[in-house]
Amino acid sequence: MIFAVFDGYDSMSQYACDHYVDFISSRELCVLGLATGSTPELFYEKLADSCKRGEVSFKDVETFNLDEYCGIDASNDQSYLSFMKRHLFDKVDIPKGAWHLPDGNASDPKAACHGYDEAIFDAGGIDLQLLGLGNNGHIGFNEPSDSFPVGTHIVDLDSSTIEANSRFFESMDDVPKRAITMGIGTIMCAQSIVVMATGRGKAGIVKRAFTGKVVPQVPASVLQLHRDVLVLLDKDAAAELVPALKGDARLFLYDDLSDTDF
Ligand code: GLP
């Protein structure tokens, strides 16, 4: 794992954007795993702007999103499909049919899960997977549990996740209680992974996930076992991790943070 720490959200998002522009441009075809949540919003905005300026093209890119809610219509403003259209798909030159999200409302959920894993496999697997980090350490919607789920599956969301996501809905009753998500196995099969986290509220879970024991109770901790993970953090999210990693060659401080007293 490589840890890159930035002064703020803007420079972290710009770094992520530059990384993706280089990554996409250096390949003829490319399969991206994408994430939702507030964290990648500015990154998507910068990526869409880069595309508008002609610095990167999505015409040979195929994408697979991590997850989708169950029980709300895809046309709902808060569905992850709507999120992705609003923040990326409608703003870049990605061909119709080249982006995929799991179907949270499939009449046969088992077949939908299996079909999603198959579609990823048929595309040649994910080259670069983007991840955010839930407050409880979830990745995608893989909630803390007693084992690491392998493939795409349906989950009952944790009460803490329902509460965290309630900020996007009018009332608690409107927040979906179930979701469909790629499994930990699917995520770990990606060639490379980029994780992003911002804000003081994530500092504790960032340290636990990346310096603690690898346990399914902290799903993101499994990323310690992957051979190519880049963790992008603003200084607030890194506040507890940096002291634990001081002197570690995997830690890179940007934006003149070298003199910052973490
Ligand atoms: C949701 C998504 C995750 C995301 C997480 C963190 O639960 N399913 O993929 O990483 O929220 O969201 P945020 O970036 O808003 O903190």
Side-chain angles (χ1 to χ4, degrees):
M1 283 186 141
I2 303 276
F3 301 94
V5 181
F6 301 85
D7 190 40
Y9 183 48
D10 191 86
S11 51
M12 183 198 79
S13 305
Q14 187 59 53
Y15 186 95
C17 176
D18 295 344
H19 185 74
Y20 271 74
V21 168
D22 287 351
F23 191 91
I24 296 168
S25 308
S26 66
R27 281 166 174 75
E28 277 186 25
L29 299 170
C30 153
V31 181
L32 300 180
L34 297 179
T36 53
S38 314
T39 310
E41 283 186 14
L42 185 58
F43 155 66
Y44 285 142
E45 190 182 318
K46 288 177 183 292
L47 200 54
D49 287 346
S50 285
C51 184
K52 247 175 241 152
R53 290 195 297 269
E55 293 159 6
V56 66
S57 169
F58 284 73
K59 68 179 170 35
D60 294 316
V61 173
E62 187 164 7
T63 68
F64 290 88
N65 264 77
L66 281 167
D67 46 14
E68 178 58 285
Y69 288 122
C70 296
I72 59 169
D73 202 78
S75 62
N76 185 305
D77 248 19
Q78 294 309 326
S79 76
Y80 284 170
L81 173 61
S82 300
F83 175 101
M84 289 309 302
K85 284 184 164 177
R86 203 160 54 236
H87 291 285
L88 192 71
F89 300 154
D90 287 349
K91 294 181 168 177
V92 297
D93 58 347
I94 188 164
K96 245 197 151 156
W99 43 261
H100 313 265
L101 282 92
D103 182 357
N105 293 316
S107 53
D108 184 346
K110 251 194 171 167
C113 292
H114 185 64
Y116 200 63
D117 286 332
E118 244 178 23
I120 294 171
F121 183 81
D122 290 347
I126 290 170
D127 296 313
L128 180 57
Q129 176 67 55
L130 178 64
L131 297 175
L133 193 59
N135 296 322
N136 60 3
H138 73 221
I139 46 177
F141 268 135
N142 290 278
E143 299 283 31
S145 80
D146 291 336
S147 60
F148 291 114
V150 178
T152 299
H153 60 288
I154 306 283
V155 285
D156 289 325
L157 298 177
D158 238 43
S159 52
S160 65
T161 301
I162 295 170
E163 179 154 357
N165 291 348
S166 66
R167 68 190 195 275
F168 300 113
F169 293 85
E170 266 184 26
S171 78
M172 204 66 164
D173 286 344
D174 294 330
V175 191
K177 312 291 183 291
R178 306 188 86 201
I180 180 168
T181 181
M182 275 185 202
I184 295 289
T186 323
I187 293 170
M188 290 294 280
C189 280
Q191 291 286 323
S192 304
I193 296 178
V194 168
V195 187
M196 286 201 262
T198 61
R200 193 66 180 82
K202 296 270 171 80
I205 194 64
V206 163
K207 181 185 173 203
R208 252 181 103 195
F210 303 134
T211 64
K213 277 195 179 150
V214 176
V215 286
Q217 288 76 16
V218 183
S221 65
V222 76
L223 299 172
Q224 294 181 46
L225 304 179
H226 194 284
R227 65 184 168 90
D228 186 4
V229 180
L230 172 63
V231 182
L232 305 179
L233 304 166
D234 70 357
K235 64 174 185 300
D236 292 336
E240 294 185 29
L241 177 88
V242 173
L245 286 180
K246 274 228 165 110
D248 191 312
R250 297 171 305 161
L251 177 66
F252 294 88
L253 303 177
Y254 289 81
D255 300 332
D256 287 332
L257 284 178
S258 43
D259 289 336
T260 308
D261 194 15
F262 279 99

